[in-house]
Amino acid sequence: MTSKIKLHVGIDDTDSAEGMCTTYLTYIILNELEENGIKPVDYPRLIRLNPFARYKTRGNGALSFIVELDNRSQVEQVEHIVLENTEKYAMLDGVNTNPGVVFYEGEITSQMREYAKNAIYNIYTIDYATDFAKKIGARIHKFKKGRGIIGSIAAISLELTDETFELLAYRTPENFGTKRQLDDESIFRMNDETYPETFENIDFEQNYAAIEPHTPCPVLYGIRGNTPDIVLKAHSIVNSLEPVAGFRVFRTNQHTDMHIQEGVKIANMRDTGCYMFECEVVEKPHDIEGGHVFFKVSDNTGILECAAFEPTKSFRNIIRKLVVGDKIVIYGGLNDNHTLNIEKIKVCQLATEYKYSNPICSCGKRMKSAGKNSGYKCPRCGRKDRDATKIKEELPRDLKPGFYEVPVEARRHLSKPIIRITTEADQRLKNMKS
Ligand code: ATP
């Protein structure tokens, strides 16, 4: 028996702000392959890469899938279908649309896994990705500048140490760009019946269905969850008032915190890197123009400016409650200005905050200062007390230790929702007890 040829296909950078979506192109390609009797061996993968990549359209996603083929002519057939559809559907007129397709035969090596991890942590150049493709013997196809090869190599190579699934339902072409027609009540019901195994369905703060994109792309909605079964169940509950062209379940690294590096000290943190670290508040949060809240933290190796930006809405109220001395764990990424955008925090230990006020006179009235080093004087009965000092009072703290995260609307695709962290912890506890 002759062995099968394992072909990895990676695709990236085919959309623009005006339309399209690389998941949709993948959906079209997989449909055509299936019509030709070629089924992917697993779910296609939607891999999110460095959230600070400069030329991303939205969430810096790249796509990949695997097919097992009988002979070279089938390999040629697959490559033809992939390239023809990329040429046909990619928004090649977009200034920043530079598609890249990669074909790779065989097993993923540790060097490739390392490349992929660093495409989440760091920023690569097109030249670096081109050289890397040569080194691993991958066939690359660049459209225009072909920047997409950076992401497409990562999409085929990433090892998923944690994963979630997203079911993406697509619109029929005549509806692209028009207002989506979904029965909102069915989305809230779907959330009631499937949360927390599905998540990010509703933004309760703004009370709207977050599964629906607000861009002209072909996606009707996307349901995210822990397993393929749960996103399929959720999909069966959602009622669309417009025709659904079709759907696909994608295996993803979304909501896994895979972008977060642990164990890096403030002194060594670099722009466009995302980190999780323990620190202490050293400057009280304050608002700046535009509704952004800024404050500073330290871990004894350096001081870092952190921000909860305006789109994080009510999360800023939590940040505003922090005081100097609070011990917290921060999750977030450093932008080009070396300011850390916070995704979530864990408040570990609250500092005690004091208020200092003038002493109370024996007549019950609050005293006033009698001048420098002269003690206090009562404005009502006139009594003087040279030895009186200010009263130190502990202020109540309106903040409890625990996790806090930005609302769904402002959440990064890669950010692990607190509900995934706590349900995992519950599961570990249950496993330990049983
Ligand atoms: P969408 O999420 O709507 O599909 P997008 O946000 O994924 O869009 P792309 O159109 O894929 O945006 O553009 C992202 C570009 O950035 C791609 O060309 C990709 O190859 C590139 N890229 C991805 N990761 C990195 C990285 N670590 N360094 C440099 N470039 C990167």
Side-chain angles (χ1 to χ4, degrees):
M1 200 181 76
T2 50
S3 64
K4 296 254 188 192
I5 303 164
K6 192 177 201 176
L7 181 70
H8 297 259
V9 180
I11 312 168
D12 195 12
D13 207 346
T14 65
D15 58 3
S16 77
E18 272 69 56
M20 256 302 285
C21 172
T22 310
T23 70
Y24 180 67
L25 172 60
T26 307
Y27 156 84
I28 299 266
I29 290 170
L30 292 176
N31 286 353
E32 193 173 330
L33 290 177
E34 283 173 358
E35 279 160 22
N36 283 280
I38 300 168
K39 268 181 86 68
V41 289
D42 188 17
Y43 296 98
R45 309 195 324 160
L46 164 56
I47 303 298
R48 300 286 177 181
L49 301 166
N50 191 311
F52 291 100
R54 179 132 164 239
Y55 297 103
K56 66 177 186 170
T57 312
R58 283 176 290 271
N60 199 9
L63 274 295
S64 71
F65 61 87
I66 303 170
V67 280
E68 282 181 345
L69 306 167
D70 296 323
N71 50 51
R72 297 306 314 168
S73 83
Q74 262 196 339
V75 172
E76 270 171 36
Q77 189 188 7
V78 171
E79 295 194 4
H80 177 74
I81 289 173
V82 171
L83 294 174
E84 194 178 48
N85 281 296
T86 306
E87 182 97 51
K88 182 170 165 195
Y89 286 97
M91 300 289 280
L92 291 167
D93 290 340
V95 246
N96 282 330
T97 304
N98 292 289
V101 174
V102 59
F103 300 109
Y104 173 80
E105 286 174 31
E107 298 304 322
I108 302 301
T109 63
S110 59
Q111 189 190 20
M112 291 169 75
R113 286 193 283 272
E114 203 52 33
Y115 169 99
K117 205 164 74 183
N118 282 316
I120 300 178
Y121 289 169
N122 302 324
I123 298 295
Y124 286 154
T125 61
I126 303 174
D127 285 349
Y128 179 79
T130 309
D131 288 347
F132 187 81
K134 234 183 253 158
K135 224 188 295 176
I136 60 170
R139 293 186 286 284
I140 54 171
H141 293 263
K142 291 179 178 172
F143 297 79
K144 293 167 61 187
K145 290 184 185 150
R147 179 174 291 109
I149 62 155
I150 300 174
S152 48
I153 300 170
I156 64 167
S157 307
L158 187 75
E159 181 181 23
L160 287 174
T161 45
D162 184 12
E163 63 186 13
T164 63
F165 292 83
E166 178 161 8
L167 181 146
L168 284 156
Y170 298 103
R171 315 183 78 186
T172 49
E174 69 275 12
N175 284 325
F176 291 178
T178 62
K179 187 173 164 12
R180 290 167 175 84
Q181 305 295 330
L182 294 172
D183 169 8
D184 276 359
E185 186 274 331
S186 73
I187 300 172
F188 279 79
R189 187 156 36 85
M190 173 275 279
N191 186 65
D192 286 347
E193 291 182 29
T194 60
Y195 180 86
E197 280 300 295
T198 64
F199 31 80
E200 318 281 282
N201 300 319
I202 313 280
D203 185 313
F204 281 101
E205 189 165 333
Q206 317 253 359
N207 207 34
Y208 80 89
I211 65 170
E212 178 186 337
H214 296 281
T215 58
C217 76
V219 174
L220 180 58
Y221 57 80
I223 303 173
R224 298 163 179 212
N226 284 327
T227 62
D229 283 352
I230 198 68
V231 292
L232 282 165
K233 177 180 170 187
H235 167 64
S236 74
I237 301 170
V238 172
N239 182 21
S240 175
L241 305 175
E242 64 171 74
V244 182
F247 67 89
R248 267 285 157 185
V249 174
F250 293 83
R251 193 186 282 281
T252 93
N253 64 341
Q254 293 174 159
H255 308 301
T256 61
D257 268 354
M258 208 170 259
H259 61 315
I260 299 284
Q261 301 175 60
E262 291 182 32
V264 181
K265 292 288 181 192
I266 287 178
N268 300 323
M269 289 180 186
R270 288 176 302 101
D271 293 353
T272 75
C274 300
Y275 304 99
M276 184 263 248
F277 59 104
E278 283 176 39
C279 58
E280 192 172 316
V281 177
V282 293
E283 183 198 84
K284 197 170 164 52
H286 59 276
D287 281 55
I288 66 155
E289 214 182 309
H292 315 303
V293 181
F294 278 65
F295 66 107
K296 289 187 178 141
V297 297
S298 168
D299 66 354
N300 295 325
T301 71
I303 290 180
L304 186 66
E305 183 167 59
C306 300
F309 287 101
E310 193 281 333
T312 65
K313 303 288 174 204
S314 67
F315 179 70
R316 293 169 301 163
N317 293 336
I318 300 297
I319 297 301
R320 288 184 182 112
K321 289 177 183 174
L322 293 170
V323 303
V324 170
D326 281 345
K327 292 195 166 62
I328 58 180
V329 174
I330 295 186
Y331 299 69
L334 274 180
N335 65 20
D336 288 339
N337 297 325
H338 209 68
T339 298
L340 188 120
N341 298 11
I342 307 175
E343 294 171 17
K344 57 180 172 268
I345 61 167
K346 185 178 182 191
V347 175
C348 303
Q349 203 183 324
L350 292 169
T352 318
E353 212 191 6
Y354 296 100
K355 179 174 105 179
Y356 293 88
S357 45
N358 289 354
I360 309 281
C361 177
S362 49
C363 78
K365 184 82 183 159
R366 192 167 296 278
M367 299 175 91
K368 284 195 164 159
S369 169
K372 202 166 179 224
N373 299 326
S374 307
Y376 289 86
K377 185 180 170 184
C378 178
R380 182 155 66 192
C381 69
R383 190 173 79 84
K384 273 191 177 168
D385 186 345
R386 290 195 72 84
D387 302 324
T389 53
K390 282 206 183 278
I391 307 168
K392 186 178 172 186
E393 269 177 283
E394 194 175 320
L395 283 175
R397 295 291 308 273
D398 181 22
L399 182 65
K400 289 195 164 52
F403 273 112
Y404 298 91
E405 67 192 338
V406 303
V408 168
E409 168 72 351
R411 211 167 289 163
R412 283 197 197 293
H413 295 291
L414 278 163
S415 268
K416 191 169 188 168
I418 291 167
I419 188 68
R420 283 201 80 226
I421 298 177
T422 49
T423 41
E424 260 174 32
D426 284 353
Q427 199 49 51
R428 272 200 302 275
L429 210 64
K430 275 187 202 139
N431 293 345
M432 271 160 64
K433 283 179 182 163
S434 63

